[in-house]
Amino acid sequence: MRCFLLCLGILLASGAPAAAATPDAPLQARLDLADRFVRLVELIRDSLPPPQWLRDGDQLVFWSGMEPDSGTWMLVSARTGAMKPLLPGAELRLQLSRLMGKTIQLPRWMEFAIAPDQRGIVFRFEGRPFGLGLSDGRVTALAPTDRAALALSRSNLLSPEGQSVALQREGGFAVLGGDGRTLVERGGEENYDWQLPDKAWSPNGRFLMVWRNDLRAVHKIPIVDYTSALERVTLTPYVKTGTPLARSELYVVEPATGRVTRIPPAEGETYDWFAGWRHDGGEALILHLSRDGKRMELSAVEPGSGKSRRILREERLESFVGGLDFAVEGWARQITPLPDNTGFLWMSERDGWRHVYLYDYAGRLVRQITRGAFPVHRVAGVAPKGDAVFLVASADSTAPYEHLLYRGSVKGGALKRLSSGSGMHGISLSPSGDYYIDAWSSRVQPRIRDVASTDGKTRFRLTTADASALAELGYKPPEALTVLADDGVTPLQGVLYKPRDFDPTRRYPVVVYIYAGPFITAVPWNFIGNAMSLTANAISQMGFIVMMLDARGTPGRSKAFQDVNHGRVGQTEIPDHVAGLKQAAATRPWMDLERVGITGHSWGGYFALRGMLTAPQVFKAGYAGAPGALEEEAIINEPYLGLPSENPAGYQAGSNLALAGNLQGTLKMMHGTSDVNASLSTTMRMADALIRAGKHFELLIMPGQPHSPQSTAARYHLDDINQFFVRNLGGPR
């Protein structure tokens, strides 16, 4: 009770108007509208599950969510453009109803996979697995242990010949033979688990690569369960900057003999990823990134002997080779083995832009394949025959962030654009390399899926999303924004969101929605955007102009653009946003820079605090959600700042704790008690610093919530953000 009264006193002493327990009718209507805007994706009719290619024949299967064949799967010939339903939607419902023993209704869409024998698809309905034949349109119930049913889980890996299957089990793994007999099995220990990586099977199915992750020496953070009076505490591994990393042990498994061989680890503390196999299966390929991100190595393991050799090393002592964006997904794009087994394609920013290089397996550079003042994001595929390579790049200088498909050659030379539209393109190449699925959208064009030939001669439409319900809601795409960074030279791209009843004769308070983490871009270039842009749009419906900007220090452009804040995170991002605000408002009199707020989540929470503490004359109100800190997770911070022992000045300069005394405006922080991404201690330490500095603030603790609040807590959180800015910034004038 004493603590409750003390905390209540802190909140009431903040000087901010108290929020009403029940919003009045006009405010509630705005809150409801904002909630509808954050869930815009629910209003779009689309064929959501990714189409799947069959192994042979340039055929694919996709779920149709649109008329005239809505509610079933379609079989498509890429060669002819012919499409036909595997069975009518009504027949699918009828067959499933019979098998379920009750009348059923189909969901809007169902995930599926191609069956291992390529003769049908497998899917799950109400937790039960089913198969559907491609030729006979017959639905059959499958046993959970059926090989086809096991293909539905990405954690289960079928061997190339389709007989053996590797199963991920809690803490361990098992390999089953074609007769269902267990060939190899290993169990895990606490903080010492086994993990099956992608592409684990060798091409001939003889060997399987398996990781064992040793987190026993890793720092642990306490996660407290407050759902009963007897609290329960779980200690969760969490590698903070400067503390020991997890250790990844790689093993070669030979199921036929039961042999399990450990591979010698890389030198030093590294992050390790399994990158696949040479096409002949002679060697497995492993990537190693040093903990400071400055060194990357590629090694090869001969599976029969377990011997390892280093193929190449790339270092960048003045900056970094890879960081969190690499750890999340970049490793899967780093290397592409060539079908003829002579070498591989390697991604590097060594000339200042991310480009593609050809190496042989002796580690010799053969040639640089792509060149120019633009980044290549990934190799979409390599033709099985010939020299064609297909790349997703931002090679249009007028659209520096758009992801477009290009055709190039392993011999080098000019790229040929294959993408027919602007925006963001997701590519799925057919096994033959002759066709591809092009799933794309732009800020003004809802998602389209096309099927096209890689020679550029044919293209036809597969699906088109129906976004008419968004127009009925009053949705409008954001306004594009180009400003100069704080250096007065570098162009920055952003967007402005406006309320649906925007009136240019009025003056609106402005909210900056910020992320600015050095491993992701936030500004959307596709139609629906991302979770951050959806939230920004939702906030704008409360009567605000909301600005999003990708400042210097973020990826997706040149290496120099991202390296601006290397070793000095927190020192350039807010000045860039302030400069952008002033330039945007200079030609838009409806932006009221006397009433500016800032909000963000995670890294955005760190920068929302940063804005309030380093530019208090600009930002009058700030809401920091689950803010990170430079003392937190190593992979988030160390590649961009270096190790704390090597760059103490950079860590000190980027610390928000040291600036607590600068707070002038109204600040609120939110954190979930079960957050294992940005630990609760970040907010607790910030609260302590503010109290010591005599600065009042508001605090929302969300019991049991993870890094991003879920379910009803997500709505509560959004309402809390919106009401906070309404109270502190007011509305249009």
Side-chain angles (χ1 to χ4, degrees):
M1 179 63 72
R2 178 175 176 272
C3 179
F4 172 77
L5 293 175
L6 177 61
C7 295
L8 180 62
I10 291 174
L11 180 59
L12 294 179
S14 68
T22 303
D24 60 26
L27 176 57
Q28 187 61 56
R30 286 280 185 181
L31 294 171
D32 291 342
L33 179 64
D35 179 62
R36 294 179 70 189
F37 267 77
V38 85
R39 295 184 291 109
L40 286 178
V41 66
E42 298 175 8
L43 300 178
I44 299 176
R45 292 187 61 205
D46 199 359
S47 303
L48 289 177
Q52 304 289 323
W53 287 103
L54 292 167
R55 190 165 48 231
D56 302 313
D58 289 316
Q59 295 185 98
L60 62 95
V61 178
F62 76 95
W63 173 267
S64 175
M66 312 296 290
E67 300 299 340
D69 299 300
S70 177
T72 191
W73 288 278
M74 306 291 290
L75 180 64
V76 182
S77 169
R79 295 173 183 172
T80 66
M83 294 188 232
K84 64 177 182 179
L86 295 184
L87 76 172
E91 179 64 21
L92 175 60
R93 290 194 302 274
L94 179 61
Q95 291 196 45
L96 275 175
S97 294
R98 289 172 180 167
L99 292 168
M100 296 291 293
K102 63 179 182 179
T103 301
I104 61 98
Q105 293 296 321
L106 295 176
R108 291 176 61 185
W109 50 272
M110 287 193 283
E111 297 282 0
F112 70 101
I114 303 296
D117 63 6
Q118 300 287 299
R119 296 178 181 176
I121 65 169
V122 289
F123 63 95
R124 187 172 283 114
F125 180 76
E126 294 187 359
R128 294 175 56 184
F130 296 90
L132 171 58
L134 296 182
S135 59
D136 60 9
R138 180 168 168 262
V139 180
T140 56
L142 301 175
T145 56
D146 189 294
R147 260 166 185 62
L150 293 174
L152 279 168
S153 174
R154 292 189 62 186
S155 63
N156 297 329
L157 304 178
L158 273 71
S159 62
E161 79 284 357
Q163 293 300 311
S164 299
V165 58
L167 307 177
Q168 185 76 63
R169 294 178 173 170
E170 185 175 357
F173 76 97
V175 182
L176 307 183
D179 58 1
R181 183 171 55 92
T182 299
L183 303 178
V184 179
E185 186 172 14
R186 291 290 188 275
E189 304 171 20
E190 185 177 9
N191 297 319
Y192 194 29
D193 292 346
W194 298 86
Q195 178 190 357
L196 297 172
D198 292 338
K199 308 174 185 176
W201 285 103
S202 63
N204 61 8
R206 179 183 171 187
F207 298 104
L208 179 77
M209 307 301 290
V210 186
W211 288 112
R212 194 168 194 192
N213 301 313
D214 187 354
L215 288 79
R216 292 173 296 182
V218 167
H219 174 75
K220 314 294 192 301
I221 59 173
I223 301 299
V224 182
D225 181 354
Y226 295 102
T227 55
S228 70
L230 298 177
E231 300 89 347
R232 293 182 294 274
V233 180
T234 302
L235 294 177
T236 300
Y238 189 99
V239 181
K240 297 210 174 191
T241 55
T243 67
L245 295 187
R247 300 291 296 175
S248 297
E249 302 171 357
L250 185 64
Y251 291 80
V252 179
V253 178
E254 188 175 19
T257 64
R259 184 168 61 92
V260 179
T261 305
R262 184 184 179 190
I263 305 303
E267 296 180 4
E269 287 191 291
T270 59
Y271 301 100
D272 306 289
W273 296 272
F274 179 67
W277 295 81
R278 295 179 61 166
H279 271 264
D280 67 354
E283 290 181 309
L285 304 172
I286 322 296
L287 289 166
H288 313 278
L289 179 69
S290 62
R291 74 175 294 166
D292 61 5
K294 295 181 182 297
R295 184 187 74 253
M296 188 186 302
E297 294 182 347
L298 174 67
S299 65
V301 173
E302 197 284 308
S305 66
K307 292 181 179 179
S308 178
R309 68 183 181 93
R310 188 173 74 201
I311 296 177
L312 69 83
R313 169 185 286 182
E314 181 161 340
E315 291 184 286
R316 189 167 292 116
L317 299 179
E318 76 287 355
S319 176
F320 64 99
V321 179
L324 183 62
D325 54 338
F326 184 88
V328 172
E329 61 177 7
W331 68 268
R333 305 176 180 184
Q334 180 63 30
I335 177 173
T336 304
L338 294 179
D340 63 7
N341 202 47
T342 59
F344 57 92
L345 304 181
W346 179 262
M347 304 290 284
S348 174
E349 291 180 292
R350 68 188 60 168
D351 75 348
W353 297 87
R354 189 177 300 279
H355 279 300
V356 184
Y357 295 77
L358 174 62
Y359 278 86
D360 65 22
Y361 281 111
R364 292 185 293 260
L365 174 63
V366 179
R367 70 180 64 91
Q368 182 174 347
I369 289 178
T370 62
R371 298 178 184 272
F374 63 88
V376 176
H377 303 292
R378 70 183 181 96
V379 177
V382 179
K385 298 179 181 179
D387 62 0
V389 57
F390 304 97
L391 310 166
V392 176
S394 297
D396 184 342
S397 60
T398 65
Y401 286 98
E402 292 188 348
H403 287 199
L404 306 173
L405 178 65
Y406 293 85
R407 180 186 179 117
S409 168
V410 292
K411 298 177 182 177
L415 300 180
K416 177 184 178 181
R417 176 171 168 168
L418 295 180
S419 294
S420 63
S422 60
M424 306 297 283
H425 292 251
I427 304 300
S428 174
L429 201 67
S430 70
S432 71
D434 293 333
Y435 299 90
Y436 64 95
I437 301 166
D438 185 0
W440 66 277
S441 71
S442 69
R443 288 177 183 157
V444 297
Q445 171 62 59
R447 183 166 65 172
I448 285 172
R449 283 195 181 107
D450 289 335
V451 175
S453 60
T454 52
D455 61 10
K457 294 181 179 179
T458 63
R459 176 179 289 266
F460 63 90
R461 186 62 35 89
L462 200 62
T463 65
T464 304
D466 177 6
S468 57
L470 269 62
E472 296 172 7
L473 183 63
Y475 170 82
K476 295 182 178 63
E479 177 184 339
L481 177 68
T482 302
V483 294
L484 296 180
D486 184 56
D487 63 2
V489 176
T490 306
L492 304 177
Q493 304 293 323
V495 289
L496 295 174
Y497 287 98
K498 306 168 189 173
R500 69 175 184 176
D501 57 355
F502 172 72
D503 180 351
T505 66
R506 307 183 75 183
R507 286 178 62 77
Y508 290 81
V510 180
V511 175
V512 170
Y513 192 98
I514 191 169
Y515 189 76
F519 42 80
I520 192 172
T521 56
V523 174
W525 291 85
N526 60 356
F527 185 74
I528 201 62
N530 51 49
M532 291 181 282
S533 61
L534 286 169
T535 302
N537 197 355
I539 293 171
S540 75
Q541 303 311 314
M542 301 300 297
F544 304 119
I545 303 300
V546 180
M547 184 186 86
M548 295 183 72
L549 198 67
D550 281 325
R552 292 173 299 163
T554 52
R557 288 172 61 173
S558 70
K559 181 62 173 166
F561 184 90
Q562 187 173 19
D563 276 354
V564 165
N565 65 353
H566 182 69
R568 50 199 297 264
V569 171
Q571 300 182 48
T572 62
E573 302 86 349
I574 294 301
D576 277 359
H577 279 76
V578 170
L581 267 175
K582 293 177 179 178
Q583 292 168 61
T587 56
R588 297 170 177 85
W590 30 267
M591 293 176 65
D592 186 352
L593 292 197
E594 295 301 313
R595 296 181 292 155
V596 179
I598 185 169
T599 188
H601 194 84
S602 194
W603 261 111
Y606 165 85
F607 280 111
L609 289 171
R610 198 79 183 159
M612 295 295 292
L613 300 175
T614 62
Q617 73 284 2
V618 176
F619 299 108
K620 305 303 192 298
Y623 194 114
L630 306 187
E631 302 86 0
E632 292 302 300
E633 198 166 7
I635 186 62
I636 292 176
N637 292 294
E638 290 176 349
Y640 309 101
L641 276 164
L643 301 182
S645 59
E646 297 171 354
N647 184 22
Y651 279 85
Q652 179 62 27
S655 171
N656 286 330
L657 302 179
L659 303 176
N662 292 355
L663 182 66
Q664 296 180 23
T666 306
L667 171 66
K668 187 164 191 175
M669 295 183 290
M670 183 286 298
H671 221 116
T673 62
S674 295
D675 193 337
V676 295
N677 294 82
S679 65
L680 181 60
S681 67
T682 63
T683 290
M684 293 297 100
R685 295 197 306 275
M686 193 70 231
D688 180 61
L690 291 165
I691 292 169
R692 291 176 181 274
K695 300 296 181 178
H696 295 283
F697 59 95
E698 299 178 46
L699 179 62
L700 171 62
I701 297 297
M702 304 197 79
Q705 290 302 312
H707 191 50
S708 296
Q710 303 296 304
S711 188
T712 55
R715 172 67 192 266
Y716 188 98
H717 179 220
L718 178 63
D719 284 356
D720 198 57
I721 295 171
N722 287 332
Q723 291 183 85
F724 173 82
F725 284 119
V726 168
R727 291 196 306 272
N728 291 288
L729 299 180
R733 295 173 181 171

